[in-house]
Amino acid sequence: MTGEPSGGKRLVTLRIEGMTCAACVHTVQTAIKSVGGVSLAEINLATETANVAYEMDSASITQMAAAVRSVGYRIGADLVGINVPGLSDASSAKRIEERLLRLEGVVKASVNPAAERVEVYYVPGSVPLEAIQDAVEASGYKVESIESADELAADIERLSKRADARLLRDKFLVSAVGAVVIMVLMVTPVVEDALGSFWVNCTAFAIATPVQFWMGRQFYIGAWGALKHRTSNMNTLVALGTSVAYAYSVVVTFFGGLFSESTGTYFDTGVTIIALILFGRYLEARAKGQTSESIRALMGMQPRTARVLRDGTEQDIPITDVVVADLVLVRPGERLPVDGKITEGASTVDESMLTGESIPVDKAAGDEIFGGTINVVGGFTYRATKVGKDTALAQIVQMVRQAQGSKAPIQRLADSVAAYFVPAVLGIAAITFVTWLVAGPSPVYEFALLNMSAVLIIACPCALGLATPTAIMVGTGKGAEHGILIRDAMALEYAYKITTVVMDKTGTLTQGKPQLTDVLPLGGISEDDLLYLAASVERGSEHPIATAIVDGTRERGVTPSVAQQFQAAPGLGVRAQVDGDWITVGSVKLARQAGVSLEAAQDFPSLWASEGKTAMVVLRDNDLRGLIAVADTVRPESREAVQLLESQGLDVMMLTGDSEATAQAIAAELGIRNVVAEVMPDEKVEAVKRLQAQGERVAMVGDGVNDAPALAQADVGIAIGTGTDVALETADIALMRGDVRAVAQAIQLSRATIVTIKQNLFWAFFYNMALIPVAAGILYLVFQEGVPQGLSWALGDFGFLNPMMAALAMAFSSVSVVSNSLRLRRWKPA
């Protein structure tokens, strides 16, 4: 994904392959920032992405890729194959390669003249396929065809971590078999009696060596890359820890005279450590794949083909070929391929994937529909209005991915610790070695090396690096499932700290349009007759109040007629002839100006006004025949939403441009005590600022253009999904349905996510603070008189932690953090 903001800067999201811990994050970040022109490099371990901002004249993706490779990692790239007939000249092949490599985003180009084929590896989204084709054809050849991978399927596969998990599983199994065989050799007296200790050790050496340098190759590559940049990471610790055990065993096997105190080798320890770490990485990869379940589910909702009507015939075409204005045909049970408006037919559509609302929505001609939703019953035809990356589903996926790739402020602590963690562990390991070499029990070399190995192996910056992003991935994905779109991790953390929720009235707490609420017939007329007269006149008006009267009349089973000689008095009312009589529908002010007595109406006009309703008089030839009240009615769920927010310990305030009387009436109905009425949009901003100056953390909830400035000013802006695009774009959290209870649910989700992050960070820090001293041998002071028999399998005879146990503990530390984050998948709105 790329973008080109003003000022010659470009934003790009790169996939980073090979990262395993927080120290890896620091290493990759340092490498990318070393490229001149890079102003920002934000790395996310859980999503394995880097958000980079750079000057296009000073830096390139190719340079970043080279920098990342130099520290032992890779930038993920997609492959496109290009068939070029007639390409057989080696010099032309070289020229094509050079042209392709000059394209921003192309990281590798390979031309095979014998096969007449060009293969290009490029960073997704950084360069269009058309530019790649043009670069080839600029060399004088015609491109016959382009074979590109299914990017959607590739993304889903990458996020699932299935390929990574399979590779790690296979490596683990081979390592585990090697460890078992070596252990059997070393603990079976018959084997040693038959072969002798030297040949047993030689056999163990032959088995351990390929495991050490083949299965463990990834650790050495990562460690070497970090070393070249004078830094260190988790691979450094694993490579050193296992190499110490391996090298010691090799020396004892072939140069045993140098260590007269000991003849034992630890080939089984090194191999077992590698097997356990690979097993932990395998479990971690599977668990990390589950953290992306929500985003993968969203991505999988996009159909691959669409049935369109072109030139009078139905055609099934790839969804990428659908264009705006295409007529799309949909049958029952099918997912809609793109956004559009129904032109023919009617149906019921399941929009739960967008809104989180499980009840299907009735759709008819003229209604808007969205790609990825399900046509439940009936068939219809609709005209495509948005395709590709412009569809609602694509934008939701992009917003969720952006949120999952962002960093929360709370993660700064883990990042700061990670930068110094591995060097500190290396220092502790060195001190441990020297301490036990000088003051340890016999054999001192053996215990000094093993304790040092245990310290190196048990230290785990992986858990620190995964504590925050895995919880954010699950939390934001879970929010999307329920129609709660969180723009970034910062909004998630700020929502956790909210103390006051400020809510707009119109369209947020209320329906946003007037509705018929009360009917008061006078002078012997019935309710239906009064409505018949009023609606017949109002049919000629487009005013929202007129629409409310006409719609309300029809809902009550009364059909208005067509009035004659319609006349309007702006701001006062309308009149027309209905069945030969002049009927006037207007304000109370109009009646008083006309000298009409309102005595028969008693106190209803003032009573309705106190309830936030607008009273309309109905006159027949200047005789009062009744009153009708309309109002912007409260949403059915608004009172419950206010109660939910207050039950969470939050103060709720209503902020509206409506009159004081209307605002107070609505507030009383909802149980809101704090009301600020008759404010302009800029005054809404000032109201939010006043609360912030008082130390409040403010969430602003709105749906209109006039709410956008206040949404931007608030600590967290929350836009109701039924609102305008401006409000949605300004907000930090977007609710895809008009149910204001989702505000409370969004805050609940933020609290659940941040609590999970804090739990993860606590256990990650606690794990290292508690177990590194144990690995260093501090329990020797406790067990000088001997280790209890029940603990000797882990602590030996002196309280020294077995390095294999250290590997097991390290392997499960990061797994436990990811598993704790996965508990968020069980979160449900209250």
Side-chain angles (χ1 to χ4, degrees):
M1 180 190 73
T2 59
E4 295 185 14
S6 60
K9 281 190 176 180
R10 193 183 199 192
L11 300 176
V12 62
T13 299
L14 307 174
R15 298 201 312 255
I16 308 296
E17 299 175 353
M19 293 191 300
T20 58
C21 68
C24 298
V25 169
H26 178 70
T27 300
V28 173
Q29 186 177 49
T30 302
I32 294 177
K33 282 187 173 181
S34 69
V35 176
V38 172
S39 57
L40 170 72
E42 192 173 73
I43 317 297
N44 188 299
L45 177 59
T47 58
E48 297 179 347
T49 57
N51 293 325
V52 183
Y54 66 101
E55 298 286 346
M56 291 183 287
D57 294 336
S58 306
S60 69
I61 294 175
T62 303
Q63 291 173 312
M64 296 177 213
V68 171
R69 281 198 305 271
S70 72
V71 291
Y73 304 91
R74 300 171 304 281
I75 284 183
D78 286 350
L79 169 66
V80 59
I82 306 173
N83 296 312
V84 186
L87 176 58
S88 57
D89 182 9
S91 61
S92 296
K94 182 174 178 58
R95 191 163 58 249
I96 290 174
E97 282 187 9
E98 291 173 348
R99 286 182 181 274
L100 288 170
L101 290 173
R102 285 199 293 267
L103 293 176
E104 176 69 342
V106 172
V107 295
K108 182 181 177 183
S110 175
V111 181
N112 187 336
E116 299 181 341
R117 183 176 175 83
V118 179
E119 291 189 343
V120 182
Y121 290 87
Y122 67 101
V123 175
S126 64
V127 56
L129 292 180
E130 292 80 2
I132 294 176
Q133 179 175 341
D134 291 344
V136 175
E137 293 186 339
S139 300
Y141 293 91
K142 184 69 176 175
V143 170
E144 181 182 61
S145 62
I146 297 179
E147 301 167 1
S148 59
D150 187 331
E151 290 188 19
L152 176 63
D155 267 354
I156 293 176
E157 175 67 19
R158 182 179 63 85
L159 287 168
S160 72
K161 302 289 182 187
R162 283 192 291 262
D164 290 345
R166 284 194 297 267
L167 179 60
L168 288 166
R169 179 200 61 195
D170 294 343
K171 285 186 174 182
F172 157 68
L173 290 174
V174 173
S175 302
V177 169
V180 170
V181 172
I182 293 174
M183 285 183 184
V184 170
L185 285 173
M186 300 183 75
V187 301
T188 307
V190 176
V191 175
E192 185 169 352
D193 291 343
L195 299 178
S197 61
F198 173 75
W199 288 108
V200 167
N201 288 340
C202 286
T203 305
F205 165 78
I207 297 172
T209 299
V211 173
Q212 185 74 35
F213 299 106
W214 180 32
M215 299 303 151
R217 180 172 178 266
Q218 63 195 66
F219 306 122
Y220 288 101
I221 292 174
W224 174 244
L227 181 61
K228 285 193 294 184
H229 277 251
R230 298 179 182 178
T231 185
S232 53
N233 54 33
M234 189 63 209
N235 294 309
T236 306
L237 300 181
V238 175
L240 278 176
T242 56
S243 295
V244 164
Y246 175 81
Y248 173 80
S249 300
V250 169
V251 171
V252 169
T253 298
F254 298 105
F255 308 98
L258 297 177
F259 296 92
S260 57
E261 294 182 89
S262 174
T263 58
T265 60
Y266 291 92
F267 288 117
D268 59 332
T269 299
V271 173
T272 302
I273 288 172
I274 290 175
L276 288 172
I277 292 173
L278 290 173
F279 181 60
R281 295 262 176 102
Y282 163 66
L283 294 178
E284 180 185 322
R286 289 188 57 186
K288 284 169 69 177
Q290 291 174 345
T291 64
S292 64
E293 181 179 25
S294 296
I295 185 71
R296 285 187 285 120
L298 281 172
M299 294 168 67
M301 289 175 181
Q302 179 74 66
R304 301 298 178 86
T305 61
R307 187 178 301 103
V308 300
L309 190 63
R310 290 180 177 174
D311 300 325
T313 59
E314 293 184 16
Q315 304 176 30
D316 286 333
I317 63 173
I319 192 172
T320 52
D321 292 345
V322 179
V323 297
V324 172
D326 265 340
L327 285 175
V328 184
L329 288 75
V330 182
R331 296 169 181 165
E334 292 182 338
R335 285 194 183 274
L336 279 60
V338 295
D339 297 358
K341 287 189 175 180
I342 296 179
T343 58
E344 183 181 343
S347 183
T348 301
V349 178
D350 179 359
E351 295 184 341
S352 59
M353 50 76 64
L354 284 177
T355 65
E357 178 57 59
S358 59
I359 300 175
V361 181
D362 292 333
K363 299 287 185 178
D367 286 344
E368 194 171 13
I369 49 180
F370 304 96
T373 58
I374 301 174
N375 178 31
V376 180
V377 295
F380 59 87
T381 302
Y382 73 98
R383 191 172 299 279
T385 57
K386 293 181 179 179
V387 300
K389 295 181 179 179
D390 295 327
T391 64
L393 176 60
Q395 291 178 350
I396 288 172
V397 168
Q398 181 55 41
M399 189 171 180
V400 174
R401 296 183 77 161
Q402 176 182 324
Q404 293 185 339
S406 62
K407 280 193 175 183
I410 197 173
Q411 194 170 344
R412 285 196 293 264
L413 174 62
D415 290 345
S416 299
V417 171
Y420 302 100
F421 183 85
V422 175
V425 170
L426 292 173
I428 294 171
I431 293 171
T432 299
F433 176 77
V434 173
T435 299
W436 296 117
L437 194 62
V438 173
S442 180
V444 291
Y445 279 111
E446 184 173 341
F447 285 121
L449 287 169
L450 291 179
N451 287 340
M452 181 179 71
S453 294
V455 170
L456 292 170
I457 295 301
I458 205 166
C460 187
C462 305
L464 285 175
L466 293 169
T468 300
T470 52
I472 288 172
M473 283 186 71
V474 182
T476 53
K478 200 66 183 177
E481 286 182 23
H482 294 278
I484 301 169
L485 298 183
I486 299 164
R487 189 169 300 279
D488 55 35
M490 185 176 293
L492 197 67
E493 182 170 343
Y494 285 175
Y496 167 80
K497 300 175 181 178
I498 290 302
T499 59
T500 299
V501 178
V502 177
M503 307 187 82
D504 175 52
K505 179 184 75 70
T506 306
T508 302
L509 293 169
T510 65
Q511 299 285 1
K513 60 180 181 179
Q515 292 183 320
L516 179 64
T517 58
D518 298 270
V519 181
L520 178 65
L522 299 170
I525 194 173
S526 68
E527 281 193 14
D528 286 355
D529 288 342
L530 180 63
L531 289 172
Y532 168 78
L533 294 174
S536 297
V537 174
E538 294 287 15
R539 281 185 64 180
S541 173
E542 296 180 352
H543 194 280
I545 290 179
T547 302
I549 292 173
V550 174
D551 291 346
T553 297
R554 286 174 171 159
E555 287 173 3
R556 300 184 185 209
V558 178
T559 303
S561 67
V562 179
Q564 305 295 322
Q565 301 185 50
F566 177 84
Q567 300 171 8
L572 294 174
V574 295
R575 69 193 296 253
Q577 280 193 337
V578 179
D579 299 337
D581 295 324
W582 279 99
I583 306 299
T584 301
V585 183
S587 65
V588 172
K589 179 181 179 182
L590 173 66
R592 286 173 177 157
Q593 285 182 354
V596 176
S597 173
L598 297 178
E599 184 177 351
Q602 303 177 35
D603 295 329
F604 279 98
S606 58
L607 175 63
W608 286 347
S610 69
E611 295 174 347
K613 300 173 183 177
T614 300
M616 305 294 291
V617 299
V618 180
L619 309 177
R620 175 186 280 166
D621 297 328
N622 278 2
D623 291 331
L624 183 63
R625 285 293 176 261
L627 276 76
I628 295 173
V630 296
D632 182 10
T633 57
V634 170
R635 292 181 184 272
E637 66 278 0
S638 291
R639 183 172 181 82
E640 183 183 349
V642 171
Q643 292 172 342
L644 281 171
L645 289 168
E646 290 182 338
S647 69
Q648 295 175 15
L650 300 169
D651 293 328
V652 180
M653 172 186 285
M654 188 169 74
L655 197 61
T656 178
D658 271 0
S659 67
E660 184 72 30
T662 299
Q664 291 293 347
I666 297 295
E669 184 177 350
L670 295 175
I672 298 176
R673 292 178 294 277
N674 299 323
V675 180
V676 178
E678 300 178 1
V679 290
M680 301 298 288
D682 58 333
E683 294 174 321
K684 288 185 177 183
V685 174
E686 291 304 316
V688 172
K689 285 183 178 179
R690 283 195 299 273
L691 288 170
Q692 291 172 326
Q694 296 167 12
E696 301 290 334
R697 296 294 183 93
V698 181
M700 175 69 198
V701 185
D703 78 321
V705 172
N706 62 342
D707 299 320
L711 289 170
Q713 174 61 39
D715 296 280
V716 177
I718 302 176
I720 299 292
T722 53
T724 63
D725 289 341
V726 174
L728 292 173
E729 290 172 5
T730 309
D732 300 298
I733 298 175
L735 309 178
M736 297 304 293
R737 61 186 190 276
D739 189 340
V740 286
R741 288 175 296 188
V743 175
Q745 294 166 2
I747 294 174
Q748 286 173 356
L749 177 61
S750 75
R751 290 180 173 181
T753 304
I754 299 302
V755 166
T756 300
I757 289 173
K758 289 184 174 181
Q759 291 170 346
N760 287 348
L761 288 173
F762 169 79
W763 286 113
F765 280 115
F766 176 81
Y767 162 85
N768 286 294
M769 290 175 63
L771 294 186
I772 288 179
V774 172
I778 197 171
L779 293 181
Y780 177 72
L781 302 176
V782 178
F783 297 121
Q784 286 187 353
E785 297 182 2
V787 175
Q789 189 173 0
L791 297 176
S792 59
W793 59 276
L795 300 176
D797 295 329
F798 299 100
F800 296 146
L801 185 66
N802 188 321
M804 289 188 282
M805 295 300 103
L808 188 63
M810 189 279 282
F812 281 94
S813 62
S814 53
V815 175
S816 64
V817 165
V818 180
S819 299
N820 189 49
S821 296
L822 288 175
R823 292 191 307 112
L824 282 170
R825 293 197 301 170
R826 298 198 293 268
W827 178 86
K828 291 183 180 179

